[in-house]
Amino acid sequence: MGDPFRPGAPVSGWDTPAPSGTTTTTTTATPGTTTTTTTVVVTERVAVPPTPPPSQPRRDRFFVGGYGGIGFQLGAVSRRMAAFSHLRGGILLGERISIGASLTRMTRRFGPPIEGVSGASYQLAMVYGGVDLGLALIRRGPFELGVSTLLGAGTACVQTNAHRPRCVESVKMMVAQPAVFANFNLTSWMRIGMSGGYRFVAREAWRPPNEFRLAGGFFGANLEFGWFKRPDTGTRRRARWG
């Protein structure tokens, strides 16, 4: 039976949309020709993954390390070159701050000895120590460049030039020693450093006619042991710089 509104189309019921995942076959017959059309409807459900929670920023643990070591300096003392040795140690806080203490002793003053009125010879001696503060201004992997200062007190004396020296005159003094330093970490527990600065001295007066100037510039080197592997020397931080 044909559809009076669509000539040539068979009538088998009202037209309804094919359900999902089914196959619909339509056959159209015309005089002398039969046409078959097959429509395949496939419906696929895509699972949407849940939205991941926002990532939390990573927090580095606050770095606390320590150091201790020895060093030497060359500097001027009363218009002559002198050699110094020192011991120092302290703690490292964060990535840039160091707080410690040091003890410095003048081991030798080059040149001829001091001659007394009686013809006896003397040497100048000096020892001082105090708080040592440092701040790293530039850090690049194992290298750091910064400033430091020593604030302390000590004693200088004129001593006999003998196997067992004895002070014949001494003065007390206050010392402020600002410097620029450069450190290089050879390993996570050993580093070498260099420093240079000026030693400011406020002291008691020598007995006339003595007048020895204790202030002067200096240059030195250090060898220290401790724990120096701060967070910005690790692989993760170097990759960030790259």
Side-chain angles (χ1 to χ4, degrees), residues 19-239:
S20 174
T22 63
T23 303
T24 303
T25 304
T26 303
T27 303
T28 303
T30 58
T33 306
T34 300
T35 304
T36 302
T37 304
T38 302
T39 304
V40 179
V41 180
V42 178
T43 302
E44 180 181 358
R45 295 182 178 273
V46 179
V48 179
T51 303
S55 59
Q56 297 295 330
R58 180 172 179 177
R59 296 182 179 180
D60 293 330
R61 295 180 59 186
F62 184 76
F63 174 82
V64 177
Y67 66 94
I70 59 175
F72 75 93
Q73 295 175 357
L74 292 175
V77 176
S78 192
R79 299 183 299 276
R80 292 183 186 173
M81 190 62 64
F84 297 80
S85 62
H86 65 261
L87 300 173
R88 60 194 303 258
I91 60 175
L92 304 172
L93 300 176
E95 298 183 359
R96 299 184 181 276
I97 299 175
S98 64
I99 302 176
S102 65
L103 179 65
T104 303
R105 174 176 174 267
M106 185 172 70
T107 56
R108 182 179 179 184
R109 182 168 174 259
F110 301 101
I114 302 170
E115 292 187 3
V117 178
S118 62
S121 61
Y122 300 90
Q123 289 288 349
L124 193 62
M126 180 167 48
V127 61
Y128 60 91
V131 179
D132 200 352
L133 306 175
L135 176 63
L137 302 178
I138 300 175
R139 293 186 59 83
R140 292 295 183 270
F143 174 79
E144 66 178 7
L145 180 68
V147 293
S148 67
T149 184
L150 181 145
L151 302 173
T155 302
C157 78
V158 178
Q159 64 183 15
T160 57
N161 191 13
H163 179 66
R164 293 184 178 181
R166 177 180 56 87
C167 284
V168 295
E169 180 184 359
S170 63
V171 296
K172 297 179 180 179
M173 62 183 186
M174 301 292 293
V175 179
Q177 189 169 275
V180 176
F181 69 84
N183 292 328
F184 187 83
N185 297 343
L186 299 177
T187 67
S188 60
W189 52 269
M190 181 173 65
R191 73 181 181 184
I192 58 174
M194 294 182 295
S195 63
Y198 194 86
R199 179 179 60 257
F200 294 93
V201 176
R203 57 170 175 78
E204 297 176 334
W206 297 96
R207 291 200 304 263
N210 295 336
E211 182 59 34
F212 301 106
R213 190 171 182 271
L214 305 179
F218 69 91
F219 174 82
N222 308 310
L223 176 63
E224 297 173 344
F225 302 90
W227 182 247
F228 308 113
K229 192 175 183 181
R230 304 188 188 192
D232 59 344
T233 63
T235 303
R236 180 174 58 85
R237 192 66 58 87
R238 286 199 300 266

